[in-house]
Amino acid sequence: MKPTRAAVLLGLLITTALASGCQDFLDKEPLGTTTQDNLFRDPTNAVQAINAVYDVAAWDQGPKWGDPTGQYVAQTYEWMFGDLMSDDSEKGGSSPSDFLSLIELKTWNIPPSNPPVTTLWVHSFTGIARANTVINNIDAGTIDAALKARLKGEALFLRAYFYFNLVKGFGGVPLFEKNVTPAEAPNATRATIAQTYAFIEKDLKAAAALLPEKGAYAAADNGRATKGAATGYLARVILYQLGTVNGNNHTWQEVYDLTSTVISSGQYSLLANYAAIHQEIGENSSESLFEIQFATSNDGYGPISVGTTNNIFQNNRRTFGYGFNNPTQNLVDEFEPNDPRREVTVIKNNDIVLGILNPVDLTQNATGYFNRKAAILAPNAPESGPQNIRKLRYADILLMKAEAAAQLGKSAEAVALVNQVRQRARNSTRPPGTTLGSLAYEPANTPPGTLPDLAPGLSGQALLNAIWHERRVEFGEESLRLWDLIRTGRYFSILPADVRARAQSHVATEQSVNPMPLLPISLNDAQTWKLAQNPGY
């Protein structure tokens, strides 16, 4: 069962801002009204408060929350950065001029007013503010102690999640442990990248100590943050620092130990069929450490929707989509011969997808391919896609541990971990619905010898190259490619010369293992908060 996202709790934000003033003239608690004072005295209200934080994590677009002028912010999706700004995808759309903001990202011609960048900034700080409402008020609540601890752990995890998205893109940002008033906003200062990461790590460690394991949740709570999610994200956060700004002096042993903790918990396993991971049957499966929850409804655009616009933006224009985020030939060529993951990842001309013929019109496609992982049947409303977005899978835990093991000289162990992922892949079926009118999973008939195990004696750079290859094909079109390229020092080499020069002009000035290019800070907030802009903007 998939939990339904809560309705947006505007009242929560209003009462947070006004609670202190109300006390001056109210001597009685308003009956039937949720206020800052009673929010955490009732378990239903308390759960709604944390649901409001998850809600922001699921926003694609919508109003700039808390803006009295109702300023609208445009779409932002992680693929716009993780896939599109790498060698894994091109923009696509109806024409080369469709959604020019994406071309700005792809070519590093990014103004501080770029809509996807602005929305990433705005939504992240909205989520942080909502998380702070829970973190700073729940201890004084009168709800059950176990529920109180869990909800605080969820809020800490989500605050770390939002800050991780910020630091990867923008570098060091203001760190808010409590909500600030408009009068305080101009006094905000930017932390360093290392300080921002230390803040994230503190939250994730606290969350892991408070949160239950995945198996301790009731079915109705599937998708909530868990001890494994917090531990897995901590491993990812350290992994990224090891290849960029490592001001906190992390080691590969930490990544190895954290991923080992997740594996030894016994809470997770590879889903048997790779082709099912991104289907409804694969939602919140044994492989899932964290994913953003969606459902379908008749609601259209904006935060009111319980669905996502992620699918309509990536689906074929000949079915119901807008045709963006087209996988590249370079990505397709990365797959080894007969790897079943290739067909699960990309749609080519005249493929049958979920029982429907998908011709690729090259006048409305940049590469000849679409992202099959985002392909769904048309939902009730085109903007209400019900497909959960997978954020951290168990396969990533295995491959992070493999990379750590390789770096620590444990080559045989690294090889064995990679081979687990390859074995699952070669046993995959074809994606569902490869016959007209059918949604069945047909056999892939993978020839013997496909995806052979890595050789036991593989070591050194050859082993690292094999792990990086495996990451690319395993997580194709899952928005991890850009960050893998940056942290391993390979990003600038895949860029055209003119794009490389522009990206290099935006590199973080803090000492870094590999160059870390940064996005511009939202123009309005940089001016309002009086924040120093990132290099080159």
Side-chain angles (χ1 to χ4, degrees):
M1 176 179 178
K2 180 195 297 189
T4 301
R5 285 166 40 212
V8 176
L9 298 182
L10 177 58
L12 169 60
L13 298 184
I14 293 174
T15 55
T16 297
L18 301 182
S20 58
C22 291
Q23 293 304 312
D24 294 338
F25 60 87
L26 290 179
D27 56 6
K28 289 186 177 181
E29 187 174 291
L31 297 178
T33 301
T34 300
T35 68
Q36 177 100 357
D37 288 337
N38 67 24
L39 186 61
F40 299 105
R41 297 180 189 174
D42 176 80
T44 300
N45 288 344
V47 171
Q48 288 280 347
I50 194 62
N51 286 355
V53 191
Y54 286 101
D55 194 56
V56 180
W59 287 358
D60 306 319
Q61 60 197 318
K64 183 175 180 180
W65 211 255
D67 186 338
T69 66
Q71 177 185 346
Y72 184 85
V73 291
Q75 293 84 7
T76 195
Y77 310 98
E78 198 164 356
W79 56 259
M80 293 178 172
F81 309 99
D83 293 328
L84 182 62
M85 295 180 74
S86 78
D87 51 357
D88 271 7
S89 78
E90 296 289 346
K91 176 183 72 69
S94 63
S95 68
S97 62
D98 190 6
F99 209 157
L100 288 176
S101 299
L102 299 186
I103 291 296
E104 293 172 352
L105 293 175
K106 183 73 175 176
T107 61
W108 280 95
N109 271 311
I110 312 170
S113 59
N114 176 276
V117 171
T118 295
T119 304
L120 174 63
W121 177 273
V122 166
H123 283 177
S124 296
F125 278 107
T126 301
I128 289 163
R130 290 190 174 192
N132 280 338
T133 296
V134 178
I135 294 166
N136 292 320
N137 294 285
I138 197 166
D139 286 343
T142 57
I143 61 173
D144 174 75
L147 178 61
K148 183 188 295 186
R150 193 200 88 193
L151 297 181
K152 187 173 184 179
E154 291 180 67
L156 287 162
F157 170 83
L158 289 166
R159 186 168 71 178
Y161 170 84
F162 289 118
Y163 267 120
F164 186 37
N165 287 337
L166 286 169
V167 73
K168 286 189 302 177
F170 301 101
V173 294
L175 301 178
F176 299 125
E177 290 196 277
K178 64 181 184 64
N179 290 335
V180 296
T181 66
E184 293 171 325
N187 298 320
T189 57
R190 291 187 68 177
T192 65
I193 293 173
Q195 289 167 341
T196 304
Y197 272 120
F199 188 90
I200 293 167
E201 292 170 33
K202 173 178 65 69
D203 276 359
L204 289 173
K205 290 174 182 176
L210 292 169
L211 288 168
E213 294 282 14
K214 181 177 182 177
Y217 277 108
D221 286 318
N222 277 344
R224 293 191 180 277
T226 64
K227 188 181 298 293
T231 305
Y233 260 90
L234 183 57
R236 179 180 279 181
V237 164
I238 293 174
L239 181 84
Y240 196 63
Q241 289 175 81
L242 285 167
T244 54
V245 176
N246 191 20
N248 295 309
N249 298 313
H250 287 298
T251 67
W252 283 103
Q253 187 65 47
E254 293 173 88
V255 177
Y256 181 89
D257 291 343
L258 288 164
T259 50
S260 296
T261 296
V262 174
I263 293 169
S264 64
S265 73
Q267 297 289 309
Y268 306 97
S269 62
L270 294 174
L271 192 63
N273 187 6
Y274 183 87
I277 291 172
H278 292 275
Q279 304 304 313
E280 184 176 1
I281 194 174
E283 292 184 341
N284 303 310
S285 72
S286 65
E287 181 148 353
S288 175
L289 275 78
F290 187 62
E291 57 191 73
I292 305 298
Q293 308 292 308
F294 295 100
T296 191
S297 71
N298 294 318
D299 294 312
Y301 283 106
I304 190 174
S305 174
V306 298
T308 175
T309 56
N310 182 59
N311 303 100
I312 191 173
F313 268 79
Q314 296 183 75
N315 268 252
N316 193 341
R317 296 182 67 85
R318 297 289 294 272
T319 55
F320 79 100
Y322 299 159
F324 292 105
N325 195 32
N326 304 156
T328 60
Q329 188 65 48
N330 187 284
L331 170 60
V332 172
D333 291 344
E334 183 80 13
F335 289 90
E336 296 165 55
N338 301 309
D339 185 342
R341 291 175 294 191
R342 178 171 52 195
E343 188 180 23
V344 174
T345 303
V346 301
I347 299 167
K348 66 181 188 303
N349 186 39
N350 288 329
D351 274 355
I352 298 170
V353 181
L354 299 172
I356 299 171
L357 183 66
N358 269 251
V360 177
D361 183 348
L362 288 176
T363 67
Q364 299 181 330
N365 182 285
T367 65
Y369 299 102
F370 289 109
N371 175 11
R372 193 186 293 254
K373 289 178 179 177
I376 62 171
L377 297 174
N380 296 343
E383 306 87 4
S384 294
Q387 183 188 41
N388 289 1
I389 297 178
R390 281 61 167 170
K391 293 295 185 179
L392 180 59
R393 298 202 273 115
Y394 185 63
D396 201 355
I397 298 297
L398 295 177
L399 292 180
M400 283 194 286
K401 183 174 181 180
E403 191 167 345
Q407 294 282 2
L408 294 169
K410 303 174 186 288
S411 299
E413 185 175 5
V415 166
L417 289 161
V418 176
N419 286 340
Q420 286 186 52
V421 176
R422 290 172 67 80
Q423 179 181 18
R424 189 268 298 273
R426 63 176 173 259
N427 291 328
S428 176
T429 68
R430 300 184 71 190
T434 51
T435 298
L436 282 172
S438 169
L439 292 175
Y441 292 85
E442 299 181 4
N445 297 318
T446 304
T450 298
L451 296 176
D453 283 350
L454 299 186
L458 197 63
S459 63
Q461 189 60 50
L463 176 55
L464 287 174
N465 291 342
I467 294 168
W468 296 341
H469 158 78
E470 204 64 34
R471 291 187 63 84
R472 189 180 187 190
V473 294
E474 175 70 20
F475 305 121
E477 297 299 294
E478 295 184 39
S479 305
L480 294 180
R481 177 65 173 170
L482 171 66
W483 316 114
D484 276 350
L485 287 171
I486 290 173
R487 71 174 180 81
T488 56
R490 296 173 292 155
Y491 182 55
F492 290 118
S493 68
I494 63 102
L495 298 176
D498 58 330
V499 178
R500 182 187 312 124
R502 286 190 291 272
Q504 288 173 331
S505 72
H506 303 305
V507 166
T509 56
E510 296 176 46
Q511 183 177 356
S512 187
V513 178
N514 292 300
M516 181 182 175
L518 301 175
L519 302 169
I521 294 175
S522 169
L523 180 62
N524 181 67
D525 285 339
Q527 293 173 342
T528 301
W529 295 5
K530 298 180 182 178
L531 299 178
Q533 185 56 273
N534 279 329
Y537 296 107

